Amino acid sequence: ITFDGRLIFSTPFNRVVALDAETGKELWVFDPKIDRSRRYANKYVSRGVAYWRDAAASGPCAARVFVGTLDARLIALDATTGNPCGDLLEGITPLVDAWEYNVTSPPTVVGERVIVGAAIADLIRRIQPPGAVRAFDARSGKLLWRFNTIPQEGEFGVDTWHGDSWRSTGG
């Protein structure tokens, strides 16, 4: 992505790099230090980052870059310095091992919400982490909502699944 004269991108190891868009000079690099000894379900994939600016704030983290990581984190970075503003891992259950749940696509920013999808390791176990879509508050990181692609007990649409078949899969 580009903004304010910066080109910001992510690498397959989820490092985030900011360059001066005109000169190519490196401005900052953030390394989330994912465990490279692990074999992630979706290999080493990071398709980008997202940008959000808080119009009502100034100073650190008023402008943020969001990156989803292979080890199931959503990290907010100060867009100017690359320093972390926080990381978000809420609303993912059951999660036996974080390598089974990956964020490979850039988060989407809509208004003041950061929306994150998921890629999961299918067919590893009968009960898998859900392929839920989650929305977080861009300022606080609080989980605002979660959409289960397979409805859970008490949710709209669960009655359309034969018997209890909705219980037999996560993704």
Side-chain angles (χ1 to χ4, degrees), residues 82-150:
N83 294 329
C85 303
D87 87 34
L88 316 168
L89 177 58
E90 185 180 347
I92 306 170
T93 55
L95 183 62
V96 175
D97 190 328
W99 81 269
E100 296 176 20
Y101 181 95
N102 310 145
V103 180
T104 59
S105 294
T108 298
V109 177
V110 179
E112 307 215 345
R113 291 175 168 76
V114 181
I115 301 169
V116 182
I120 61 168
D122 292 324
L123 309 174
I124 300 295
R125 62 186 89 252
R126 189 178 71 79
I127 302 298
Q128 303 170 56
V133 177
R134 298 170 297 142
F136 295 91
D137 181 283
R139 281 188 194 84
S140 69
K142 178 182 177 206
L143 180 66
L144 299 174
W145 54 259
R146 170 183 162 153
F147 172 77
N148 292 311
T149 55
I150 298 174

